[in-house]
Amino acid sequence: MTEKNKLSLSVQYADPRLQASITRAKVRRWVRAALFAPAELTVRFVGSEEGRTLNRVYRAKDYATNVLTFAYNEGELLAGDAPTSADIVLCTDVLETEAAAQKKTVEAHAAHLIVHGMLHAQGYAHDDDEQACEMEALETKILSKLGLDDPYLSTAPG
């Protein structure tokens, strides 16, 4: 394994509903597709209560959201001193609701959210239109390589 591809991955199912369909092997494949440097990651699937609590405590938003990324060493990434270190938290309830509303499979939506979270973990943002366009184009390219459709073609705003 090359140093670029070195990955330490923990997958946690605090909410076990997707454990059989969104397997550790799938999560690893999606993470690797969006990985540009060595990483130490945890991907955690949670229910609405935990998702809402995390969003409220860390982002001051009192609702469960689809994905939260906690990047622990963003400043160090530029210097190349340490592997990407992050937790990516997906809320199962929001994931399933959004997938149904967007007429996507839960698997395709989970892949998109994990790729999205991975990019955030590596310093990408979508705070303005230019950043959003860059990040969305990169997500689309990565998902295409995974054999998945452009997630922005059929999604509703929000």
Side-chain angles (χ1 to χ4, degrees), residues 3 10 25 29 38 43 46 59 65 68 70 73 83 90 109 114 116 118 123 139 141 146 150 155-156:
E3 187 64 26
S10 172
R29 180 172 177 253
V43 175
V46 302
R59 296 180 63 228
T65 190
L68 292 167
F70 299 94
N73 61 348
L90 290 92
H109 196 42
I114 288 171
H116 184 88
M118 277 303 303
E139 289 172 30
K141 181 179 177 181
L146 290 167
D150 182 340
T155 60

Side-chain angles (χ1 to χ4, degrees), residues 28-82:
R28 177 175 281 281
R29 180 172 177 253
W30 301 333
V31 164
R32 279 199 177 284
L35 187 62
F36 304 127
E40 297 170 356
L41 304 166
T42 296
V43 175
R44 181 174 172 85
F45 293 88
V46 302
S48 289
E49 186 176 335
E50 184 175 345
R52 181 178 182 173
T53 299
L54 289 168
N55 204 24
R56 183 177 57 244
V57 169
Y58 293 100
R59 296 180 63 228
K61 297 184 180 189
D62 194 19
Y63 57 87
T65 190
N66 54 13
V67 63
L68 292 167
T69 302
F70 299 94
Y72 300 114
N73 61 348
E74 286 180 276
E76 298 169 32
L77 294 179
L78 297 175
D81 294 338

Side-chain angles (χ1 to χ4, degrees), residues 132-158:
C133 285
E134 178 185 1
M135 192 167 168
E136 288 175 11
L138 190 51
E139 289 172 30
T140 299
K141 181 179 177 181
I142 292 166
L143 291 167
S144 176
K145 288 181 180 179
L146 290 167
L148 297 169
D149 293 333
D150 182 340
Y152 296 103
L153 289 180
S154 61
T155 60

